[in-house]
Amino acid sequence: MIHTGILRYAKARFLWWAVGLTAFSVLLYSTQGGLQPANGGTWQGYVLGTIGALLIVWLSMLGIRKRSYSSNAGSVPGWTSAHVYLGTALLAVATLHSAGQLGWNVHSLSYVLMFVVIISGFYGIYTYVNYPQAITENRSGSSRAALFAELFELDRRGRELAAKGPDDINIVVRSAIERTAIGGGVYAQLLGTDRSLFVRPSGSGDSAAGKPVSNRDQQPVIDLIAGRLPRTSKVAETELLEELLEIFCRRQAVLRRIARDIRLRGRIRFWLLLHIPLTVALIFALIVHIVTTFIYW
Amino acid sequence: MPMDSYRIAIIGAGPAGMSAAARAARLDAETGAASPTHILLEGFSLPAKTIQRYQKGKHVMAEPGFLDLRSDIEFEAGSREHILDKWQSGLQANGVNIRFGAEVTRISGSKGNFVVELSSGESLGAEFVVLSIGLEGNPRKLGVEGQDLPNVQYQLDDPKEYDSERIIVVGAGDAAIENALALAEQNEVWILNRRDEFSRAKEGNLNAILAAISDPNQKLHCYYSTSVKSVVPGAQGSTAMVATLDTPEGEVALECERIIARLGAIPPRRFVESCGIEFPNEKRDAKPELSRYYESNVPGLYVIGSLAGYPLIKQAMNQGYDVVEFIGGNFIQPADHPLLEYQFNGLPYEREVDDLIERFQSLIPMFRELNSLAFRELVIESNVIVSFPDGPEYAEANKKAESLAARLSQMAKPPRMTRVIREGDVIYEPGEFGTSFYTIVDGEVTLERESDGVTHTTTLSRGEFFGEMSLLSGRPRLERAIAGASCIVVESPRRTMVKLMNSNDTVREGIEWIFVVRELQNQFAPNASVADLRDISGRVQIHNYKAGETIFTEGERGDSLHVIRSGGVALSRNIDGEDILVAQVRGGKRIGEMALMGDPTRRETARASVAVETIEVSRAEFIELVRDDRDQIRKLQDAVSQQVTDNARMAVRPESGSVMDFLMDEGLGEATNVLIINEALCVGCDNCEKACAETHGGISRLDRDAGPTYANVHIPTSCRHCEQPHCMKDCPPNAIRRAETGEVYINADCIGCGNCEQNCPYDVIQMKYDAPPKPGLLRWLLFGAGNGPGEDQGASPTEAAAKKGKKATKCDACVDQKAGPACVNACPTGAAMRIGPSQYIDLVEERRR
């Protein structure tokens, strides 16, 4: 492929910018000492603080640049690449600015917020690097819509077959299809929990008979059908159960793919739900930090 | 028995004859003649036989739109009945002396003393004779086995006669289209077009047939590039016949009850020649040579209307009026005169339009092939470019042009006028996409072609032409064309040229010949002159291959190479019993050179991926071409080395070949600029779609998620800017254009007909209402107003947008965006890229270590 990802953008030019910035900050920090210990209040501290604040403003401008579609100001991949590397360098700049003086105050709040934002960004990079490929492989050339289309077709065939079979099997199959859970809340999407249910036939002797029970990963219903198979004497019913078993195994495979697709696509997006609101909080905390610094000089 | 005698005898009461007779009658009335000095002779029992035979209710057009009618009889677009009524009353109101059932068998004598003999045995005397008998001689037949079977017919009187039949209509002209449309109302109809587009048809018919073909509710089907191979009667007792069709996909047998062939007519040439009128050549579509006053080589004998080569009603009627004026010694200007005046306004001649037309035609061999009206039409539809040396001359010409432009801009649809440029100005640059064709009328034009840092210069002069390569192959220009001193160039649009080439073999052959010569020059002998190549160009062979046909096969012996003129060729090798694609070669490149460079065994199988035209050059011609040019041989050898390396590299990495196969299967062989998404980088944020919508009036022309994926290569639904765009084929207002940089875009002239949407095989054109306005970015970002960036799928059109109707929308490759394609620019992860065919090999090859 001739495409270049953001980490390699322009031969990782911004990585070297970030290295340079970090080196400069360390150098500046090391010139402190003497009468005043290393601190945010020395002139070096002020320089580092100013660089940090400007960086934060610029980093958050990516949200605007990304949506300024007619803009000539560099390309979005370039901006993103710079965002990643310079954002990482911010960690050094801000840490050196603080000189390790953390406490239970509004100044440290800014620092902690910034830290969390950057860490969430790291996670974002991890997902951006690893998940697209995983999503594509999981779908193996087809689309999510195609997976759902296949699922609905399997459901239709399953219902049709089950209607021809004995009542208890019909109930099992219909309930398993109707109570199949896909996705769910944020938690379910990210962790891929499965709340699928099905109704066990009454007369199966166990206590859960007639009540919906967990059908996690569709395995219980597969077990049930498979268990029933060798215990059936009628040829027609055996054939029906065999076909149903095949359908449910295929359903399991399709559902796993759908669940994985939802999970991966959820994770590739979810970190932004932390990254962005925390950035907004950071900007407010930063304003308070700067204002209070000057008020209580 | 004393013979009735007239001043003017007009033979044939079609539009031209009627209009001529009406003018003569009007003049009779003005001079107060006691008895008519004219007579209109018609063999049929009614006037306008051809139009009488049109289907009932047929809509008759009044093309060409830019021409005014000049006649004593009314004519405007309308139903057949309406028009015939108007003509009937026009004949009466003007007091035309018409005689029906008077079939002329012979014209003899000379100017002032003609004798017109009728089939009844009667004779008439006339000082002047006007022949306006049209082309209704004998209809052209299929020319294949079974052409005279009872249900193979060459005319259709009433389409309502046939019901629930399967009917094949052969032909792509107006008659065929109209028959097919009318028959399809109660029959199943197949229309067979010998070519791949309906370029001969009038605009209205063109729209109707394309709409009907694409309408799934209509039982009308079309075969393009198809001809009838044979017709045989069906099985005993069946009323059906079986027609074997030669289609691009191979032979197809089609059962039908009826075949209606509308292939035009052969002029009643024998009769015309018996009158002493000469034809320029033996070609079946040749027209008699006429003076600009429509007088034939027999003085006093005039020819007008379709027989003279002017097939349109309005032109014919104008000629009828004019010819009678000319006979009377009143040499008035034809009706298209002002349009030509504007076109010639900037030329440095103090000459009349007619003189210039005549001069242009006498100077330029190719223009000489056209009759004067066809040539006038060509000029009216073309750009006339004139160059002046920079300085007072240019300034003066430019001033003159500006003042005319100011005057013309007052008109509703300003006509074309001369384009004034400076000497040394570039007419086009290499790499530009242009499809127009240039003819040098005067002065010189320099063509500069660079290859390997060496500039080859050719100077063309009067009568020569250029730009044929892009016209014929759709490839971008290879050379730079520079206006010389005081040159006059006619730039004709592709549409006009295609029409001309289809109707005039000599023009087509001339253009194709120069194409071959220049291709040979370009490929093998940049230093050779056209004269040097004249002989060789006659010895190379032109081949046409349908998609899937084999050009040569691996393992066979070869003694020639092929230059691909248009289309694309897939080269594959058989490795362990499996065909591995090793290269996709496009127009302008060569295949099979190794056969002439030491390895006579073909190492690959070459197959046409789309319809392909090649020039086959055999050993003898090849040696002759490169014999004296050591440099050129080295270059050819270098190119072959590169190609064999690429092929070998692909052959040892079958997975690359399979990706290339995928690209070709998806039609990228004809693409020039395609959006490719790397699935390993795409996070599915849809910022590309949003960027597209935001830079294009709120409507995205790209669907990221749709489209096929293979091995991380995803081809979203987005325009590929094809070499020969399918969408451009049939755009009635000519609103689909190609920018010089290759982007195919739709301008504001779109009428929303949907032809392009139907013609696009890649579904990248959508018919959409204008999107309603939205709140700005900050209002969304800060206050959540509107749905945010991107297309609002749920929006309903504003009243104004609904009234304007749906218009075609497609990717324009951000032709007017400074930063380039917005989709690519807005991708936060670098997953989106627009690439051209030269990058496919990089796309599929893993070059990174």
Coordinates of all heavy atoms in Angstrom, one line a residue, chain B residues 451-484:
Chain B
S451 N 10.4 13.9 -24.5 CA 10.5 12.5 -24.1 C 12.0 12.4 -23.6 O 12.9 12.8 -24.3 CB 10.2 11.5 -25.2 OG 11.1 11.5 -26.2
D452 N 12.1 11.9 -22.4 CA 13.5 11.8 -21.8 C 14.3 13.1 -21.9 O 15.5 13.0 -22.2 CB 14.2 10.6 -22.4 CG 13.5 9.3 -22.3 OD1 12.8 9.2 -21.3 OD2 13.6 8.5 -23.2
G453 N 13.7 14.2 -21.6 CA 14.4 15.4 -21.6 C 14.7 16.0 -22.9 O 15.2 17.1 -23.0
V454 N 14.4 15.3 -24.0 CA 14.6 15.9 -25.3 C 13.2 16.4 -25.9 O 12.2 15.7 -25.7 CB 15.1 14.8 -26.3 CG1 15.5 15.4 -27.6 CG2 16.3 14.1 -25.7
T455 N 13.3 17.6 -26.4 CA 12.0 18.1 -26.9 C 12.0 17.9 -28.4 O 12.9 18.3 -29.1 CB 11.9 19.6 -26.6 OG1 12.1 19.8 -25.2 CG2 10.5 20.2 -27.0
H456 N 11.0 17.2 -28.9 CA 10.8 17.1 -30.3 C 9.8 18.1 -30.8 O 8.7 18.1 -30.3 CB 10.3 15.6 -30.7 CG 11.3 14.6 -30.2 ND1 12.4 14.3 -30.9 CD2 11.3 13.8 -29.1 CE1 13.1 13.3 -30.3 NE2 12.4 13.1 -29.1
T457 N 10.1 18.8 -31.8 CA 9.2 19.9 -32.3 C 8.8 19.5 -33.7 O 9.6 19.1 -34.5 CB 10.0 21.2 -32.3 OG1 10.6 21.4 -31.0 CG2 9.0 22.3 -32.6
T458 N 7.5 19.7 -33.9 CA 6.9 19.5 -35.2 C 6.2 20.8 -35.5 O 5.4 21.3 -34.7 CB 5.9 18.3 -35.3 OG1 6.4 17.3 -34.4 CG2 5.7 17.8 -36.7
T459 N 6.3 21.2 -36.7 CA 5.5 22.4 -37.1 C 4.5 22.0 -38.1 O 4.8 21.3 -39.1 CB 6.4 23.5 -37.7 OG1 7.4 23.8 -36.7 CG2 5.6 24.7 -38.0
L460 N 3.3 22.3 -37.8 CA 2.2 21.9 -38.7 C 1.7 23.2 -39.4 O 1.7 24.3 -38.9 CB 1.0 21.3 -37.9 CG 1.3 20.1 -37.1 CD1 0.1 19.6 -36.4 CD2 1.9 19.0 -37.9
S461 N 1.2 23.0 -40.6 CA 0.8 24.2 -41.3 C -0.6 23.9 -42.0 O -1.2 22.9 -41.7 CB 1.8 24.6 -42.4 OG 2.0 23.5 -43.2
R462 N -1.0 24.8 -42.8 CA -2.4 24.8 -43.3 C -2.8 23.4 -43.8 O -2.1 22.8 -44.5 CB -2.4 25.8 -44.5 CG -3.7 25.8 -45.3 CD -3.6 26.6 -46.5 NE -3.5 28.0 -46.2 CZ -3.1 29.0 -47.0 NH1 -2.8 28.6 -48.3 NH2 -3.0 30.2 -46.7
G463 N -4.0 23.1 -43.4 CA -4.6 21.8 -43.8 C -4.3 20.7 -42.9 O -4.9 19.6 -43.0
E464 N -3.3 20.8 -42.0 CA -3.0 19.7 -41.1 C -3.8 19.8 -39.9 O -4.4 20.9 -39.6 CB -1.5 19.8 -40.8 CG -0.6 19.5 -42.0 CD 0.8 19.3 -41.6 OE1 1.6 20.3 -41.5 OE2 1.2 18.1 -41.5
F465 N -3.9 18.7 -39.2 CA -4.7 18.8 -37.9 C -4.0 18.1 -36.8 O -3.0 17.4 -36.9 CB -6.1 18.2 -38.1 CG -6.2 17.0 -39.0 CD1 -6.0 15.8 -38.5 CD2 -6.6 17.2 -40.3 CE1 -6.1 14.7 -39.3 CE2 -6.7 16.1 -41.2 CZ -6.4 14.8 -40.7
F466 N -4.5 18.4 -35.6 CA -3.9 17.8 -34.4 C -4.9 17.7 -33.3 O -6.0 18.1 -33.4 CB -2.7 18.7 -33.9 CG -3.0 20.1 -33.6 CD1 -3.3 20.6 -32.3 CD2 -3.1 21.1 -34.6 CE1 -3.5 21.9 -32.0 CE2 -3.4 22.4 -34.4 CZ -3.7 22.8 -33.1
G467 N -4.5 16.9 -32.2 CA -5.5 16.6 -31.1 C -6.3 15.4 -31.4 O -7.2 15.1 -30.6
E468 N -6.0 14.6 -32.5 CA -6.8 13.4 -32.8 C -6.6 12.3 -31.8 O -7.5 11.5 -31.6 CB -6.4 12.9 -34.2 CG -5.0 12.2 -34.4 CD -3.8 13.2 -34.2 OE1 -4.0 14.4 -34.5 OE2 -2.8 12.7 -33.8
M469 N -5.4 12.3 -31.1 CA -5.2 11.2 -30.2 C -6.2 11.3 -29.0 O -6.8 10.3 -28.7 CB -3.7 11.3 -29.7 CG -3.2 10.1 -29.0 SD -3.6 10.0 -27.3 CE -2.7 11.4 -26.7
S470 N -6.3 12.5 -28.4 CA -7.3 12.6 -27.3 C -8.7 12.4 -27.8 O -9.5 11.8 -27.1 CB -7.1 13.9 -26.7 OG -5.9 14.0 -26.1
L471 N -9.0 12.8 -29.0 CA -10.3 12.7 -29.6 C -10.7 11.2 -29.7 O -11.8 10.8 -29.3 CB -10.4 13.3 -31.0 CG -11.7 13.0 -31.7 CD1 -12.8 13.9 -31.2 CD2 -11.5 13.3 -33.2
L472 N -9.7 10.4 -30.2 CA -10.0 9.0 -30.4 C -9.8 8.1 -29.2 O -10.5 7.1 -29.1 CB -9.2 8.5 -31.6 CG -9.5 9.1 -32.9 CD1 -8.6 8.4 -34.0 CD2 -10.9 8.8 -33.3
S473 N -8.9 8.4 -28.3 CA -8.6 7.5 -27.3 C -9.0 8.0 -25.9 O -9.0 7.2 -25.0 CB -7.0 7.2 -27.3 OG -6.4 8.3 -26.8
G474 N -9.3 9.2 -25.7 CA -9.7 9.8 -24.4 C -8.5 10.0 -23.5 O -8.6 10.4 -22.4
R475 N -7.3 9.7 -24.0 CA -6.1 9.9 -23.2 C -5.7 11.4 -23.1 O -6.1 12.1 -24.1 CB -4.9 9.1 -23.7 CG -4.9 7.7 -23.4 CD -3.7 7.0 -23.9 NE -3.9 6.5 -25.2 CZ -3.0 6.5 -26.2 NH1 -1.8 7.0 -26.0 NH2 -3.3 6.0 -27.4
P476 N -5.0 11.8 -22.1 CA -4.7 13.3 -22.1 C -3.7 13.6 -23.2 O -3.0 12.7 -23.7 CB -4.0 13.4 -20.7 CG -3.9 12.1 -20.1 CD -4.7 11.1 -20.9
R477 N -3.6 14.9 -23.4 CA -2.7 15.4 -24.5 C -1.3 15.0 -24.2 O -0.8 15.0 -23.0 CB -2.8 16.9 -24.6 CG -4.2 17.5 -24.7 CD -4.7 17.4 -26.1 NE -5.9 18.2 -26.2 CZ -6.8 18.0 -27.2 NH1 -6.6 17.0 -28.1 NH2 -7.9 18.7 -27.2
L478 N -0.5 14.7 -25.2 CA 0.9 14.3 -25.0 C 1.8 15.4 -25.3 O 3.0 15.4 -24.8 CB 1.3 13.1 -25.9 CG 0.7 11.8 -25.5 CD1 1.1 10.7 -26.6 CD2 1.2 11.3 -24.2
E479 N 1.3 16.4 -26.1 CA 2.3 17.4 -26.5 C 1.7 18.8 -26.2 O 0.6 18.9 -25.7 CB 2.5 17.3 -28.0 CG 1.2 17.6 -28.9 CD 0.2 16.5 -29.0 OE1 0.6 15.3 -29.0 OE2 -1.0 16.8 -29.0
R480 N 2.6 19.8 -26.4 CA 2.2 21.2 -26.2 C 1.9 21.8 -27.6 O 2.7 21.6 -28.5 CB 3.3 21.9 -25.5 CG 3.0 23.4 -25.3 CD 4.1 24.1 -24.5 NE 4.2 23.5 -23.1 CZ 5.2 22.8 -22.7 NH1 6.2 22.5 -23.5 NH2 5.2 22.3 -21.4
A481 N 0.7 22.4 -27.7 CA 0.4 23.0 -29.0 C 0.6 24.5 -28.8 O 0.0 25.1 -27.9 CB -1.0 22.7 -29.4
I482 N 1.4 25.1 -29.7 CA 1.7 26.6 -29.5 C 1.3 27.3 -30.8 O 1.6 26.8 -31.9 CB 3.2 26.8 -29.3 CG1 3.6 26.1 -28.0 CG2 3.5 28.3 -29.2 CD1 5.1 26.0 -27.8
A483 N 0.5 28.3 -30.7 CA 0.0 29.1 -31.8 C 1.2 29.8 -32.5 O 2.0 30.4 -31.8 CB -1.0 30.1 -31.4
G484 N 1.3 29.7 -33.8 CA 2.4 30.3 -34.5 C 1.9 31.7 -34.9 O 0.9 32.2 -34.4

